[in-house]
Amino acid sequence: MTPTALTHWLHALELRTTAGWSTFKEALSSGRGKGALWIALIALVMAVLTTLVWLAGRYETSQLQAELESDTAEAVGDLRRQLARQSQSLQGLQSNTPAEAFWSNEAQALLREHREWLRIESRDLGMKLKNQVDTPLRKPIFERTPRIDSLNETVQACSKARRINGPSYSSSYFLPQSDGVGFEVMEMCLPQTEDGVLIGFTIVTYGLQELLNELLGNSFGRRNEISFTEPDGTRLAIAGSQSRGLRVFTSQQLVNLPGNTLVFRMDGRRGEAHLFPNVLTALVTGMSMALITVMILLAKDSRRRLKAERDLAEALAFRKAMEDSLVTGLRARDLEGRITYVNPAFCQMVGFEPDMLTGKNAPMPYWPPEMVDEYRQRQAIRLAGNVPPREGFESVFMRQDGTRFPVLIIEAPLISVQGEQTGWMGAVIDISEQRRIEEVSRASQERLQATARLTTVGEMASLLSHELNQPLAAISSYANGSLNLLNDPQAEPQTMNDVHMALRRIAEQAERAGRVINSVHDFVRRRDQAREPLPPHALFDAVAPLVQLQARKLQVIVQTQIDPHLPEVMCDRTMVEQVLLNLARNGMQAMDKPGCNDRRLLLKARRAASNADQAWVEFSVTDVGEGISESVAQQLFTPFFTTKSEGMGLGLSLCRTVVEQHGGHLEFEAFMPKGTVFRFTLPVKTPPVLDKIRA
Ligand code: ADP
């Protein structure tokens, strides 16, 4: 690659890397990035783990190999040391030229002692056999193959021994046996000297197999397979254990002997390197896995927490918005009566800031000072555990500027998550507007009633003029007559009596006229609504003159029927009189039709059905007029419904309002054979005893 091409290539690589990095950063910052980050993290941890396990495995393998190498070196050293020691022990055999028999015995003893020695020969300088002993532990080894065939190896070894003046080993060779098998042997030639002069050789034949077994088998053959091999790997002799299914580690070393070099091989069969070779690696791996698991769990948990937090924040925001938009004041108190919470509506209502209220106990800043004692008692009752009425109770609070205003308080126990009562929660509604509307409605009702009364008065005006005509005419004629009598100079004493009589008549008629006017005046005069106990006949008596006024005009006979011993009724006199008057007037007008000759109006009062709580008196007005048709009946109590040309249509609706305000009810039904009965009830004055019981 030329330098220019290299520069281009580097530039391109840099571009690609920069692009890759920015893509990675983008991915991280996006939602997709979080997933990628997780995958990268897990991959990284996995890679670290795998590397750790692999390195640990390799380390263990190298440890095993090193261990085997050192075993092999130790075995080779051992072998060499023992062979040297054996050659020394062989020296004893040739120390002084022993007798032949002695030599044989000594040699046999040595052969018994060294099982790896198969044969000991003693030869002279011309390699002629002087003496020989075969191991007593097995058959003579040169039975099948003549000794002469292998003598060449021995000669070479001995010539080397002569040269180095010390023990020398021949190369190994295979020695077939008469039983069909054979084995590898090696010879050691030790020069024999006498007074420093070489006189012959002592030759020991080693069985390689036995050499391994006897010299190394015990110490190295238990866990390893030990062998001598050719340089090309062909085994010459094998010893040691040959366990299967295990991994083999091999180590080879040369055994340098004078005259021969053997290849010693050790095959160590060891278990596979463990996946987790030692406790530390296992611990680190385990902890890493635990770490990943914990991280995943934490991530899941934090996601769940985040969601819960978001939901909670939304719920809180929702609750706050709800509280802020409420016009109902909310006030929570603990079990000691201390305010624990107030909402903005409540603060607005009483004009105090939340921190001026929370934590406060009785007397509250919004209690009117004159009510403090009463409110304290009420709070004590509440804190004693008495549940307030569900529909709430009315009270009066005071704003910060000192103005009082009526409130409706609905309280309920405040129950905690554990199901225990922790205080009281009260909803407070400012009812001053409601009170104002009620007042306006009451005033307009009163005005309407006054208007209705005035209408009745208007109707009565013509009747009055007619009614007053008679007494006034009588008064005028009596007055004129009296004047004439008084002006008459010849008046007799009798005349004075007549004048007296006339004046009495005048007084009577004036009184009568006055009564008529008073009855109207009483009726029209507005009085405060006040209920008082009244005997039923008093009500009839009060309206009788006015009823009579109209009855006379319409030629109606008015009858009154009152049950004896009727109790007093609690009523607003003026109102009930107007009801009676309206019903009587309607009844009389219903009979004022051509063809209706028998005109009678019956006013009745009697006991009505009562219950344990309240006794009632029933009043009824019965006429024998035209009756009420179905279509009229449906709208009878609708304000401004009338069938009369000069009617206002307010009479019956007012009657019903008045009766219902007294707790009674107004109804009507047809009277047979013709006419209508209107009935209404009024409450009997409760005996004081009953009053007490109720209280
Ligand atoms: P008004 O007398 O000014 O018409 P009311 O409310 O007193 O107003 O009566 C409404 C209507 O009910 C009357 O116009 C009349 O048609 C009918 N009505 C009331 N009382 C009787 C009665 N006793 N018999 C028949 N009709 C009646």
Side-chain angles (χ1 to χ4, degrees):
M1 195 182 279
T2 64
T4 335
L6 185 68
T7 320
H8 282 151
W9 183 77
L10 281 175
H11 186 62
L13 184 71
E14 186 189 348
L15 274 181
R16 261 206 299 277
T17 320
T18 321
W21 178 239
S22 51
T23 320
F24 182 63
K25 277 203 293 190
E26 266 169 34
L28 277 192
S29 54
S30 68
R32 180 169 58 94
K34 277 189 190 155
L37 185 67
W38 275 108
I39 291 169
L41 190 69
I42 290 171
L44 196 70
V45 173
M46 292 308 288
V48 168
L49 267 184
T50 317
T51 315
L52 192 75
V53 170
W54 181 72
L55 282 177
R58 263 188 57 139
Y59 173 72
E60 198 197 28
T61 310
S62 70
Q63 284 287 96
L64 289 176
Q65 184 64 42
E67 188 190 318
L68 195 72
E69 297 282 351
S70 97
D71 277 1
T72 312
E74 200 182 324
V76 169
D78 246 21
L79 186 66
R80 287 162 61 106
R81 255 191 316 280
Q82 293 203 51
L83 284 176
R85 213 180 301 134
Q86 284 181 3
S87 70
Q88 277 168 12
S89 63
L90 200 59
Q91 298 270 352
L93 192 62
Q94 39 177 239
S95 54
N96 36 28
T97 29
E100 197 169 307
F102 177 77
W103 187 92
S104 294
N105 286 345
E106 277 288 294
Q108 257 171 15
L110 283 172
L111 282 172
R112 233 176 260 115
E113 191 184 330
H114 300 288
R115 298 167 75 93
E116 62 277 14
W117 292 6
L118 302 181
R119 177 184 166 97
I120 303 177
E121 291 175 348
S122 171
R123 291 184 183 265
D124 61 14
L125 285 177
M127 291 308 281
K128 193 164 163 259
L129 187 63
K130 289 201 293 189
N131 222 336
Q132 57 92 18
V133 179
D134 279 300
T135 177
L137 304 175
R138 59 184 308 150
K139 279 189 183 169
I141 53 173
F142 289 108
E143 246 181 9
R144 183 160 169 219
T145 318
R147 177 71 176 111
I148 193 77
D149 287 0
S150 56
L151 204 57
N152 196 23
E153 306 287 339
T154 319
V155 171
Q156 280 183 20
C158 286
S159 63
K160 171 110 193 211
R162 171 186 266 177
R163 248 193 338 273
I164 62 174
N165 197 21
S168 170
Y169 295 84
S170 73
S171 30
S172 67
Y173 59 90
F174 186 74
L175 194 63
Q177 296 296 301
S178 49
D179 55 3
V181 289
F183 44 78
E184 198 78 12
V185 295
M186 170 183 83
E187 280 165 7
M188 191 253 303
C189 183
L190 184 70
Q192 188 182 3
T193 51
E194 199 178 277
D195 303 328
V197 181
L198 183 69
I199 56 164
F201 302 98
T202 308
I203 297 150
V204 175
T205 310
Y206 279 98
L208 288 190
Q209 179 76 45
E210 283 74 13
L211 196 64
L212 288 175
N213 277 339
E214 296 304 317
L215 301 191
L216 302 174
N218 274 346
S219 39
F220 298 98
R222 285 214 186 91
R223 289 205 306 144
N224 311 302
E225 189 182 86
I226 45 182
S227 54
F228 290 118
T229 63
E230 296 274 12
D232 65 356
T234 315
R235 306 281 176 111
L236 300 174
I238 303 179
S241 71
Q242 295 186 342
S243 34
R244 307 213 163 269
L246 297 171
R247 185 167 170 195
V248 180
F249 294 85
T250 301
S251 167
Q252 297 198 127
Q253 272 198 26
L254 296 178
V255 188
N256 279 320
L257 299 172
N260 187 18
T261 298
L262 286 170
V263 180
F264 177 73
R265 170 175 168 156
M266 194 182 275
D267 290 318
R269 293 189 183 267
R270 301 283 188 273
E272 277 291 342
H274 295 115
L275 189 58
F276 301 111
N278 54 41
V279 182
L280 187 68
T281 324
L283 211 65
V284 169
T285 312
M287 278 171 66
S288 310
M289 284 172 149
L291 189 75
I292 292 177
T293 317
V294 167
M295 269 162 61
I296 291 171
L297 288 180
L298 270 180
K300 270 188 184 169
D301 189 58
S302 77
R303 211 174 309 142
R304 251 203 318 271
R305 261 164 205 279
L306 267 179
K307 190 176 171 320
E309 268 172 27
R310 233 186 350 253
D311 289 354
L312 198 66
E314 268 171 26
L316 276 178
F318 180 73
R319 206 192 84 166
K320 175 115 184 48
M322 214 166 70
E323 281 172 11
D324 292 352
S325 66
L326 267 186
V327 288
T328 306
L330 291 179
R331 172 200 64 181
R333 290 184 294 174
D334 63 15
L335 288 174
E336 273 87 52
R338 227 172 290 115
I339 296 181
T340 52
Y341 165 79
V342 280
N343 74 338
F346 185 82
C347 295
Q348 213 174 356
M349 212 179 276
V350 293
F352 289 100
E353 291 299 317
D355 50 352
M356 295 164 83
L357 295 174
T358 24
K360 283 266 168 4
N361 206 334
M364 302 300 179
Y366 50 82
W367 285 1
E370 67 276 13
M371 310 280 228
V372 165
D373 289 340
E374 188 191 325
Y375 287 7
R376 262 188 208 280
Q377 281 177 10
R378 197 171 65 195
Q379 178 157 321
I381 292 171
R382 180 82 62 259
L383 297 180
N386 292 314
V387 180
R390 267 201 69 74
E391 65 279 6
F393 57 91
E394 288 187 15
S395 183
V396 175
F397 279 0
M398 184 179 76
R399 297 196 182 89
Q400 199 180 17
D401 61 9
T403 51
R404 275 66 165 163
F405 63 103
V407 287
L408 176 70
I409 305 174
I410 301 160
E411 281 206 308
L414 199 63
I415 307 295
S416 72
V417 186
Q418 287 81 29
E420 288 164 12
Q421 183 179 353
T422 56
W424 295 91
M425 172 58 91
V428 182
I429 302 162
D430 182 349
I431 51 171
S432 34
E433 183 61 11
Q434 191 183 328
R435 284 277 172 280
R436 197 184 63 75
I437 292 169
E438 278 171 12
E439 182 55 36
V440 168
S441 131
R442 198 183 58 78
S444 66
Q445 185 82 20
E446 261 178 26
R447 268 201 298 280
L448 207 58
Q449 284 167 358
T451 315
R453 277 200 296 276
L454 286 174
T455 318
T456 316
V457 169
E459 281 172 23
M460 283 173 187
S462 60
L463 299 172
L464 262 180
S465 62
H466 170 75
E467 191 70 10
L468 288 178
N469 258 347
Q470 280 182 352
L472 287 178
I475 287 170
S476 142
S477 54
Y478 281 127
N480 286 332
S482 301
L483 280 176
N484 290 339
L485 284 176
L486 287 175
N487 290 338
D488 187 358
Q490 291 102 36
E492 292 174 16
Q494 177 62 30
T495 316
M496 283 316 285
N497 288 343
D498 290 345
V499 171
H500 271 282
M501 194 273 294
L503 286 177
R504 265 201 309 276
R505 290 275 185 274
I506 287 173
E508 278 173 17
Q509 290 301 323
E511 217 175 289
R512 182 181 157 201
R515 267 205 313 273
V516 170
I517 289 174
N518 266 342
S519 67
V520 176
H521 177 75
D522 274 357
F523 180 73
V524 177
R525 191 162 45 115
R526 269 185 75 167
R527 286 180 304 182
D528 286 340
Q529 276 192 0
R531 301 217 177 148
E532 52 186 323
L534 281 177
H537 68 79
L539 293 166
F540 282 142
D541 291 348
V543 293
L546 299 173
V547 173
Q548 283 300 342
L549 213 57
Q550 195 160 25
R552 264 198 294 278
K553 186 187 170 197
L554 302 176
Q555 290 98 43
V556 175
I557 300 165
V558 179
Q559 293 173 330
T560 311
Q561 198 178 316
I562 303 172
D563 280 3
H565 313 303
L566 277 183
E568 291 185 327
V569 289
M570 281 301 286
C571 67
D572 178 337
R573 178 185 202 133
T574 320
M575 291 297 157
V576 175
E577 282 172 9
Q578 186 167 0
V579 171
L580 278 172
L581 199 63
N582 272 348
L583 295 178
R585 190 199 58 181
N586 277 350
M588 287 188 282
Q589 285 175 346
M591 292 185 284
D592 184 24
K593 301 281 155 91
C596 184
N597 299 324
D598 182 18
R599 300 181 177 187
R600 265 179 294 118
L601 186 76
L602 178 59
L603 302 178
K604 256 170 85 172
R606 57 168 191 156
R607 273 181 189 278
S610 308
N611 57 26
D613 275 353
Q614 182 65 60
W616 301 89
V617 172
E618 182 191 87
F619 295 80
S620 65
V621 178
T622 312
D623 67 74
V624 288
E626 54 177 355
I628 297 176
S629 69
E630 189 59 33
S631 60
V632 173
Q634 279 173 5
Q635 311 178 62
L636 207 59
F637 296 105
T638 314
F640 303 110
F641 168 77
T642 181
T643 56
K644 298 166 198 166
S645 53
E646 76 288 8
M648 276 187 71
L650 283 171
L652 282 180
S653 83
L654 279 172
C655 287
R656 190 162 72 171
T657 310
V658 170
V659 170
E660 286 177 355
Q661 273 174 356
H662 282 79
H665 67 276
L666 172 68
E667 60 187 16
F668 69 94
E669 62 178 353
F671 181 71
M672 290 302 151
K674 71 185 182 87
T676 315
V677 195
F678 276 86
R679 291 194 188 91
F680 66 91
T681 51
L682 286 178
V684 168
K685 179 183 178 259
T686 326
V689 190
L690 256 184
D691 266 345
K692 267 193 193 143
I693 292 171
R694 260 184 225 155

